[in-house]
Amino acid sequence: MIKKLFLLAVLLLSFSSTSLYAQENQEGKSYDSTARDYFLSLFDTTMMEIVVVSYNMAITHEDYAMISLESMKNNLMSAWWWDMDEFYINQLYHPYQGSMYFITGRANGLGFWESFIPNVYGTLMWEYFMEIDTPAVNDFITTSITGPFVGEMFHRTYKLLDKNFMPLAILISPFDALCELINGKSAPHPEVSFYELNVSTGYSFLSSNLYLQNNPLYNYSAYPNSTYDYKAYNNSSNFNGTLNFNYGKRFGHDTKEPFDVFSFQAKTIDSTSLYYYSFLTDGFIWSKALNIAGDATFSLLYNFDYVMSCNINYSNSSIGCGFDYRPYLSQDESSSFSFGTSWSLSINGASEFFHLHNTYIRGDSEHNKQRLYSLGFGLNEKSYLKYDDPLIGTFYVNHFFSLFYNPKFTVSTLGSTGWDLICYLEAGYEHKIYKNIYLGISDLFYYKKGFYNTAENVTHSMNFINLYVGYRF
């Protein structure tokens, strides 16, 4: 019965929304950059959630979507917890879901901070009414804190491309396009002074090592030896692809609106035996140009980083302060040097818990389900430096360091409290061979040290040597 009601509600909402927007357009209501239509943003969010849950119920038959009045009542009466969903659901899908709610505000003309209203509304509605699982604290963090920052990057990229590259704009932010189509209006175009896009593809060679060291507090039955040496994927070769996108003027910048400067890197390394995906982002919430010899910026920024491979799970959402500097090297600016660093507090840090990640098979029952990664809080440091010369070429280094503490209230039944220390380092060289085409080589190194109270400590490293050809737009 509940399925039929939801499917009927979708049809009614679709019809009523079309009629409502048609009536507004017939009345000649004008939309401008100062429009603040909270009702339409909340309405779009509601309709979106009903469509999604109806699809999950009627088409894919997801267990968590089989909602009822009883499940809604139970969720309203239950205490919030830290759920056990898969890594990609909690750490990637939920930020994307939160970005959708946020975009319904931006696409309807709401400002950055105002668009948190439909985001929080959509998150609470989903947690209480749109799934049978008990509302989760970590879902709220990733959906209503990380989600808006991801959504603003999508929204700004969409508005950058929608005039001349609409198919690509729709691919990047379909919910901007959908809201504009339904509402019959276009949101204001944010100002952007600079943007840069590089894409590359090539070949990667991988070596990987993992060591388990005996912890006298716990003798893990899956590893009877005191020291267990694990090596996998060594000397494998794989195709790679990288996209780097820089939006806004990073050096000597005074913020006019949040996220008028952000950077985004997506990387994939893939073969029949291995996969590696990463998304590394940061954006200015606020910034101030500094009056020193060169262009410098002090900023309050937000980081969202995600790395997932066959044997790596890493995610970090953090807020902190940053410093970016580009000194003057030559009058014609043909050569340039730049560097930046940021220090932030991680409000949602995640990393694979090896003992479950590589040995545990998830049960069908919610009570048997185990989260195969740790959740925690801590510190995050990020830095980069780059030297660019038209004759010599380009040298660059990108780095982040995370230290997460996994407290007892976030640990799954078979998990362990403890610390995760994670380091990521990429260093490379690029040289132009023809116009905007360049060749490059880089080394990407990932290192993790896990210190656990009731499980063996873990040392894990992966190293990629990457050869690639790229194009600068």
Side-chain angles (χ1 to χ4, degrees):
M1 181 64 181
I2 194 74
K3 293 181 183 179
K4 294 180 179 179
L5 289 175
F6 267 98
L7 291 174
L8 178 61
V10 172
L11 296 175
L12 290 175
L13 285 170
S14 300
F15 176 79
S16 62
S17 64
T18 304
S19 302
L20 175 64
Y21 299 136
Q23 180 180 359
E24 288 182 346
N25 289 333
Q26 289 171 0
E27 292 173 355
K29 182 178 178 180
S30 62
Y31 293 94
D32 54 35
S33 60
T34 62
R36 296 293 183 266
D37 203 334
Y38 293 96
F39 170 76
L40 287 180
S41 64
L42 297 177
F43 189 86
D44 287 347
T45 300
T46 304
M47 188 171 69
M48 180 192 308
E49 292 206 329
I50 293 177
V51 169
V52 171
V53 78
S54 299
Y55 177 84
N56 290 339
M57 292 173 65
I59 306 300
T60 61
H61 307 290
E62 300 286 352
D63 291 340
Y64 67 82
M66 300 304 169
I67 59 175
S68 63
L69 294 178
E70 185 65 25
S71 70
M72 297 177 187
K73 178 181 176 181
N74 289 338
N75 284 346
L76 286 170
M77 300 297 293
S78 299
W80 287 56
W81 73 316
W82 298 76
D83 73 19
M84 300 293 167
D85 287 340
E86 288 91 336
F87 179 77
Y88 66 92
I89 292 178
N90 275 346
Q91 305 305 119
L92 186 63
Y93 284 11
H94 272 290
Y96 185 72
Q97 183 178 358
S99 75
M100 295 189 305
Y101 303 150
F102 180 85
I103 286 171
T104 62
R106 296 294 274 144
N108 281 290
L110 301 184
F112 177 83
W113 298 111
E114 293 167 316
S115 295
F116 274 77
I117 294 175
N119 171 273
V120 173
Y121 163 78
T123 302
L124 294 177
M125 185 177 176
W126 182 270
E127 293 294 316
Y128 280 122
F129 305 120
M130 297 300 176
E131 60 179 356
I132 64 172
D133 296 341
T134 304
V137 176
N138 51 311
D139 287 352
F140 186 86
I141 293 173
T142 54
T143 310
S144 282
I145 299 179
T146 301
F149 296 105
V150 174
E152 182 67 7
M153 288 189 286
F154 284 146
H155 174 72
R156 285 181 171 270
T157 305
Y158 173 86
K159 299 308 294 183
L160 179 68
L161 299 172
D162 66 345
K163 289 184 177 180
N164 300 315
F165 303 97
M166 180 54 84
L168 181 58
I170 294 174
L171 180 65
I172 292 172
S173 185
F175 297 97
D176 265 296
L178 182 61
C179 288
E180 290 186 354
L181 177 65
I182 294 175
N183 300 351
K185 65 166 183 140
S186 178
H189 285 79
E191 293 183 13
V192 54
S193 58
F194 170 82
Y195 61 90
E196 178 185 48
L197 174 64
N198 301 333
V199 295
S200 65
T201 185
Y203 222 56
S204 298
F205 304 91
L206 165 69
S207 64
S208 176
N209 292 277
L210 189 145
Y211 300 92
L212 300 177
Q213 297 174 342
N214 184 56
N215 186 330
L217 297 177
Y218 188 72
N219 183 17
Y220 198 74
S221 59
Y223 309 105
N225 299 325
S226 60
T227 300
Y228 182 81
D229 185 358
Y230 172 77
K231 297 183 179 181
Y233 310 116
N234 281 327
N235 303 316
S236 63
S237 56
N238 317 269
F239 287 103
N240 67 58
T242 303
L243 182 149
N244 287 291
F245 180 56
N246 297 309
Y247 179 100
K249 181 184 176 184
R250 196 173 190 93
F251 305 99
H253 180 74
D254 291 314
T255 295
K256 295 182 179 179
E257 296 177 321
F259 272 66
D260 56 5
V261 169
F262 66 84
S263 65
F264 172 86
Q265 184 199 76
K267 184 184 293 291
T268 177
I269 301 173
D270 211 342
S271 72
T272 56
S273 61
L274 168 76
Y275 65 88
Y276 172 96
Y277 309 114
S278 66
F279 308 94
L280 309 179
T281 71
D282 67 67
F284 291 175
I285 302 173
W286 170 89
S287 67
K288 180 67 177 177
L290 302 179
N291 186 20
I292 58 179
D295 297 321
T297 305
F298 176 78
S299 62
L300 175 68
L301 50 73
Y302 194 87
N303 296 300
F304 172 60
D305 302 319
Y306 177 91
V307 179
M308 185 172 183
S309 79
C310 302
N311 50 10
I312 291 176
N313 288 161
Y314 168 85
S315 178
N316 170 66
S317 298
S318 59
I319 185 169
C321 296
F323 175 76
D324 296 86
Y325 180 52
R326 184 176 61 189
Y328 301 133
L329 297 183
S330 60
Q331 293 183 348
D332 59 3
E333 297 186 355
S334 59
S335 300
S336 65
F337 172 76
S338 58
F339 73 90
T341 184
S342 67
W343 291 82
S344 55
L345 295 175
S346 178
I347 59 175
N348 182 41
S351 177
E352 83 283 346
F353 185 63
F354 172 80
H355 308 287
L356 291 178
H357 187 267
N358 287 271
T359 62
Y360 186 80
I361 300 176
R362 298 174 66 88
D364 293 331
S365 169
E366 182 69 25
H367 298 289
N368 294 329
K369 187 187 292 186
Q370 288 291 316
R371 191 192 319 116
L372 309 185
Y373 56 95
S374 302
L375 286 176
F377 314 93
L379 299 174
N380 188 68
E381 183 271 336
K382 236 178 176 181
S383 58
Y384 70 89
L385 62 86
K386 180 179 179 181
Y387 176 77
D388 190 17
D389 185 273
L391 297 178
I392 299 175
T394 301
F395 298 88
Y396 64 90
V397 177
N398 299 311
H399 161 80
F400 69 70
F401 169 86
S402 297
L403 180 63
F404 300 145
Y405 174 67
N406 309 310
K408 186 176 181 180
F409 60 84
T410 70
V411 173
S412 59
T413 306
L414 299 178
S416 173
T417 57
W419 295 85
D420 287 320
L421 184 153
I422 298 162
C423 179
Y424 172 102
L425 176 66
E426 182 177 22
Y429 169 75
E430 297 173 351
H431 195 85
K432 184 173 72 173
I433 56 174
Y434 179 74
K435 293 186 177 179
N436 293 339
I437 301 174
Y438 58 90
L439 291 176
I441 181 172
S442 69
D443 182 88
L444 190 160
F445 179 70
Y446 180 94
Y447 176 87
K448 173 183 174 177
K449 184 72 175 181
F451 303 91
Y452 304 117
N453 295 322
T454 57
E456 290 175 300
N457 296 335
V458 173
T459 302
H460 185 194
S461 67
M462 294 184 72
N463 192 75
F464 295 95
I465 303 295
N466 308 297
L467 303 175
Y468 57 91
V469 58
Y471 187 87
R472 292 188 177 95
F473 290 89

